């Protein structure tokens, strides 16, 4: 029983009732002009229901009408701030103007349905309470004192027991009609195929942006923390004040750079409207190489071709891939021999990072690699290139090949 009565305790049931009843305003106004509302016959009611249809269909051809109907339906037909129990579910009703004749046709069908349903529900909302009053009057000995279409035979005390029945029937009709109108709104005012594709594209863009930000944080902070751990461990093992000073200086510089990268990412997340600062590119690769050297790695670097000619996206992603490759070396192999080759050719950018394998290199040499290697592959794939990682003799090799055109 509580489950059956629960719709009667929800505010959305009554906002739906009001929303449907508003649809009857136009036919009632038209009826005041013709054929009139003084003792209308069933034929008059049929005429009242049909006369405004051309006007409603003409209004539905205006693109902004669909937006207005969608906003009203969202507010009145579905749980929201006005409801006692809120729903996070998307109502599935569009609030965009009509973009095609199909949208206009569906809007017209919705408006006609809302008008006819409003007229019918309005009559029911008028007659059922009137019937309750007739029952109450008949029970008191005064039958026929209301505008109810149903004439009660005689006066009986037991009519008083039937007084609540028309009201309960009305509430049940209201709850069912409101639920059906909500379903109809989803079908007739729901997003078109074009809108669904647009929403899917926007959602894909947001997911790609989130993945890009996650990669930025992983690469930047992971690199900084790895260098700090390696340098701190080396300084403690060396027990040399001069070496310790150099390690602390490198940790400070790396941490400052990581904080700058973190601030850039937070600016993008906050969407403050201020332009984010420039992201590091391959022109700053020396900073990565010096950080690796300060951690004890013996880095041999070879750069060929003009780095300044590399397009911005490829240069920035190349920097991050080089950063992640060096971080993997320090994390898994420690301060070992590293060979870095950056070659800018006519139409391609080639990046290679090799490090000697040692007893601590097993995690880097595992099949498939970890998150860092996966991130390198993803970055390369987004730019139309390819990345490979694996054992090459006594060396671990990460090779990236990016197109520049």
């Amino acid at each position: 029983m509580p489950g059956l009565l629960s719709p009667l305790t929800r505010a959305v049931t009554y906002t739906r009732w009001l929303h449907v009843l508003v649809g009857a305003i136009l036919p009632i106004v038209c009826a005041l002009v013709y054929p009139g509302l003084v003792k209308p016959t069933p034929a008059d009611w049929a005429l009242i229901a049909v006369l405004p249809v051309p006007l409603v269909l003409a209004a539905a051809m205006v693109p902004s009408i669909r937006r207005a109907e969608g906003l009203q339906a969202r507010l009145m037909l579905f749980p929201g701030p006005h409801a006692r129990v809120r729903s996070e579910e998307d109502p599935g009703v569009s609030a965009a103007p009509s973009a095609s004749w199909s949208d206009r046709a569906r809007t017209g069908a919705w408006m006609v349905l809302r008008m006819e349903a409003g007229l019918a529900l309005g009559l029911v909302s008028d007659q059922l309470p009137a019937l309750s009053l007739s029952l109450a009057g008949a029970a008191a000995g005064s039958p026929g004192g209301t505008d109810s279409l149903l004439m009660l035979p005689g006066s009986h005390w037991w009519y008083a027991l039937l007084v609540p029945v028309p009201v309960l029937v009305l509430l049940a009709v209201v709850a069912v009609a409101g639920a059906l109108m909500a379903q109809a709104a989803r079908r007739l005012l729901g997003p078109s195929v074009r809108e669904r594709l647009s929403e899917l594209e926007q959602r894909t863009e947001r997911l790609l942006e989130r993945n890009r930000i996650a990669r930025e944080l992983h690469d930047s902070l992971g690199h900084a923390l790895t260098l700090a751990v390696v340098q701190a461990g080396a300084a403690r093992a060396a027990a040399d004040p001069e070496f310790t000073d150099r390690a602390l200086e490198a940790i400070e510089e790396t941490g400052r750079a990581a904080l700058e990268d973190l601030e850039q990412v937070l600016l993008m997340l906050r969407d403050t409207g201020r332009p984010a600062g420039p992201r590091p590119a391959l022109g700053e690769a020396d900073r990565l190489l010096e950080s690796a050297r300060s951690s004890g790695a013996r880095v041999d670097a070879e750069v060929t071709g003009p780095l300044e000619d590399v397009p911005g996206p490829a240069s920035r992603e190349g920097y991050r891939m080089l950063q992640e490759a060096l971080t993997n070396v320090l994390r898994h192999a420690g301060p070992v021999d590293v060979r870095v080759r950056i070659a800018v050719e006519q139409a391609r950018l080639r990046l290679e990072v090799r490090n000697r394998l040692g007893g601590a290199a097993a995690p880097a040499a595992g099949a498939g690699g970890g998150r860092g290697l996966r991130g390198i592959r993803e970055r390369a794939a987004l730019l139309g290139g390819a990345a490979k990682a694996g054992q090459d003799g006594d060396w671990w090799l990460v090779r990236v090949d990016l197109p520049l055109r």
Side-chain angles (χ1 to χ4, degrees), residues 81-99:
H82 58 283
R84 183 173 299 174
V85 180
R86 299 192 181 193
S87 174
E88 301 297 331
E89 181 183 359
D90 182 5
V93 173
S94 174
S98 297

Side-chain angles (χ1 to χ4, degrees), residues 67-352:
R67 176 180 175 83
E69 290 292 328
L71 290 173
Q72 292 179 63
R74 281 185 173 187
L75 176 64
M76 304 293 284
L77 295 181
F78 300 95
H82 58 283
R84 183 173 299 174
V85 180
R86 299 192 181 193
S87 174
E88 301 297 331
E89 181 183 359
D90 182 5
V93 173
S94 174
S98 297
S100 65
W101 287 108
S102 175
D103 290 344
R104 293 179 174 89
R106 291 195 299 150
T107 304
W110 162 256
M111 294 177 67
V112 171
L113 174 63
R114 183 184 173 194
M115 182 183 69
E116 305 298 353
L119 189 59
L121 190 59
L123 291 174
V124 172
S125 301
D126 174 68
Q127 291 301 310
L128 288 179
L131 178 57
S132 287
L133 293 176
S134 295
L135 289 168
S142 302
T146 67
D147 294 331
S148 173
L149 295 178
L150 180 61
M151 299 303 296
L152 298 174
S155 300
H156 303 283
W157 66 267
W158 50 265
Y159 281 165
L161 301 177
L162 300 178
V163 169
V165 174
V167 176
L168 294 176
V169 171
L170 174 60
L171 293 177
V173 170
V174 166
V176 173
L180 292 176
M181 290 299 289
Q183 293 297 324
R186 287 192 175 99
R187 290 182 175 274
L188 298 176
L189 296 179
S192 62
V193 175
R194 181 181 301 178
E195 289 172 331
R196 290 192 183 97
L197 289 176
S198 177
E199 175 62 24
L200 181 60
E201 290 176 357
Q202 293 176 8
R203 189 179 306 172
T204 302
E205 289 293 332
R206 289 194 295 268
L207 289 175
L208 290 175
E209 182 66 13
R210 288 175 58 185
N211 288 337
R212 188 184 70 79
I213 291 174
R215 285 196 301 268
E216 291 287 327
L217 286 175
H218 174 271
D219 293 350
S220 178
L221 299 184
H223 178 74
L225 292 174
T226 298
L227 287 180
V229 170
V230 171
Q231 289 165 343
R236 183 175 60 180
D240 181 357
E242 184 177 352
F243 183 84
T244 300
D245 288 342
R246 290 197 305 270
L248 291 175
E249 183 179 354
I251 292 173
E252 179 183 5
E253 181 180 351
T254 304
R256 187 179 294 111
L259 286 175
E260 291 176 359
D261 290 342
L262 179 60
E263 184 177 357
Q264 300 291 336
V265 173
L266 293 179
L267 278 175
M268 290 187 289
L269 289 175
R270 290 170 183 160
D271 194 20
T272 58
R274 292 183 297 168
R279 293 166 53 197
L282 278 177
E284 303 174 57
D286 288 343
R287 186 174 71 178
L288 296 177
L289 301 177
E290 288 303 320
S291 295
R293 292 188 180 106
S294 67
S295 300
R298 295 170 293 278
V299 181
D300 180 16
E302 177 186 357
V303 180
T304 59
L307 290 179
E308 62 274 8
D309 291 345
V310 178
S315 184
R316 291 188 292 268
E317 296 301 320
Y319 177 92
R320 290 302 187 193
M321 287 186 276
L322 174 61
Q323 182 182 57
E324 183 58 37
L326 291 174
T327 301
N328 281 343
V329 171
L330 295 174
R331 179 183 296 134
H332 298 301
V336 297
D337 291 339
V338 183
R339 296 178 184 176
V340 177
R341 178 174 176 262
I342 305 174
V344 181
E345 301 175 357
Q346 187 174 5
R348 307 198 73 78
L349 170 66
R350 300 185 187 276
L351 173 65
E352 289 185 2

